[in-house]
Amino acid sequence: SNSTMAEFDYLFKLLLIGDSGVGKSTLLLSFTSNTFEDLSPTIGVDFKVKHVTLGGKKLKLAIWDTAGQERFRTLTSSYYRGAQGIIMVYDVTRRDTFTNLSDIWAKEIDLYSTNQDCIKMLVGNKVDKESERVVSKKEGIDFAREYGCLYLECSAKTRVNVEQCFEELVLKILDTPSLLAEGSAGVKKNIFKEKPPQPDASTSGCCSW
Ligand code: GDP
C-alpha cells in the first residue's frame, strides 16, 4: 500500500440524539460492530469511528453518542459543534420519545448546531416490536416533512434499515458542498481539538467536559 495516500477523503462528525432508552447506543453498536475501533466508554461524550466508502469517496465517520448525558435532556454545545449530520432517534413504542424530539431536542439542535446546512435524519427505532407500536409511520413522515429532515424506521436489534440510516445521511452530506468544506481531510483535527488534556488521552477515545 502507498503510505502517502490519504487515509480518507472526508471526515464527518455525526451525532446521535434522543431520549434515554430509545436505542442510540444499540444503533451505533449495530452499525459499527466488527469494524469499530473499540473506544472504551467513560464519563461524558464518547464516539466510535467507522471507515466506509460511499459515493465513490473514502469516509471516516466519527459517530458521537451521549454516554447517558441525554437523561438531563440537555447536551453541551461542544457535543454539537462541527457536526455535519444528526440522527434524531425515537422509540416507535413510546410516544413521549417522539414528542420530546419536537418539543426539546429539535430546539436544542437549532440552538447549538454550528453548521447551518447540517443534515438531520429522523429515525423511528424498534420496529421489531410492531404489536407495541404507538407512533405511526405517517406521524414520522409528517414531522420529518415539517422539520425538513430525512426519515427512516429501523430496528437496531434485528438490524433492519440500520445501514440505510447512516448511508442516506452521509450521501446527503456528500451532496451538500458547504459541509464538505468543513469535513475535508485538511481540517480533520478540528473536531477533536476541544478535548482537554487527559491522563490517558492516547488510549481513550472519549471526551469529557
Ligand atoms: P440509549 O439509551 O438510547 O442509548 O438506548 P440503548 O441502546 O441503551 O437501548 C435501550 C434498550 O432498548 C436496551 O435494552 C436495548 O437492548 C433495547 N433496544 C435498542 N434498540 C432496540 C430495537 O431496535 N428493538 C428492541 N426490541 N429493543 C431495542
Side-chain angles (χ1 to χ4, degrees):
S1 65
N2 185 347
S3 61
T4 62
M5 253 169 59
E7 189 197 352
F8 52 83
D9 298 309
Y10 296 108
L11 167 66
F12 293 145
K13 176 180 176 179
L14 309 180
L15 309 180
L16 287 159
I17 302 271
D19 281 4
S20 186
V22 296
K24 299 182 296 300
S25 305
T26 310
L27 196 62
L28 180 53
L29 199 66
S30 181
F31 180 62
T32 56
S33 58
N34 305 322
T35 58
F36 69 91
E37 296 164 22
D38 198 359
L39 308 164
S40 55
T42 180
I43 317 149
V45 168
D46 68 333
F47 58 87
K48 287 185 168 36
V49 170
K50 182 165 167 120
H51 293 263
V52 294
T53 300
L54 276 172
K57 301 290 181 194
K58 280 189 291 184
L59 307 173
K60 180 172 180 173
L61 307 178
I63 312 169
W64 292 47
D65 195 6
T66 59
Q69 292 189 12
E70 79 284 13
R71 266 181 228 121
F72 310 105
R73 297 236 168 76
T74 180
L75 299 165
T76 64
S77 57
S78 310
Y79 183 73
Y80 292 95
R81 193 166 302 136
Q84 286 83 14
I86 301 180
I87 298 181
M88 305 162 64
V89 189
Y90 67 94
D91 176 347
V92 298
T93 72
R94 284 174 56 205
R95 177 157 299 279
D96 60 324
T97 68
F98 180 68
T99 52
N100 281 338
L101 280 180
S102 54
D103 294 348
I104 297 167
W105 292 115
K107 292 190 177 80
E108 192 173 291
I109 290 167
D110 293 341
L111 190 65
Y112 286 129
S113 63
T114 53
N115 286 326
Q116 266 199 323
D117 300 326
C118 179
I119 309 299
K120 284 154 265 182
M121 156 79 75
L122 177 68
V123 172
N125 188 36
K126 308 198 187 182
V127 289
D128 57 287
K129 295 165 83 176
E130 186 57 41
S131 63
E132 293 171 47
R133 177 197 283 272
V134 295
V135 182
S136 72
K137 195 165 184 170
K138 179 171 189 312
E139 287 176 287
I141 290 168
D142 287 348
F143 175 50
R145 190 170 292 148
E146 193 184 319
Y147 190 61
C149 63
L150 302 168
Y151 173 69
L152 272 179
E153 287 191 339
C154 76
S155 167
K157 187 180 179 183
T158 66
R159 300 197 174 191
V160 165
N161 261 358
V162 168
E163 298 236 325
Q164 285 85 341
C165 290
F166 291 92
E167 287 180 9
E168 283 195 24
L169 179 68
V170 166
L171 286 172
K172 186 88 185 280
I173 294 170
L174 281 173
D175 223 21
T176 309
S178 62
L179 294 175
L180 298 187
E182 280 277 338
S184 69
V187 292
K188 65 184 175 189
K189 289 199 169 69
N190 282 2
I191 69 160
F192 299 120
K193 77 179 179 190
E194 316 269 343
K195 184 166 62 173
Q198 288 176 13
D200 58 346
S202 59
T203 55
S204 169
C206 303
C207 306
S208 37
W209 286 272

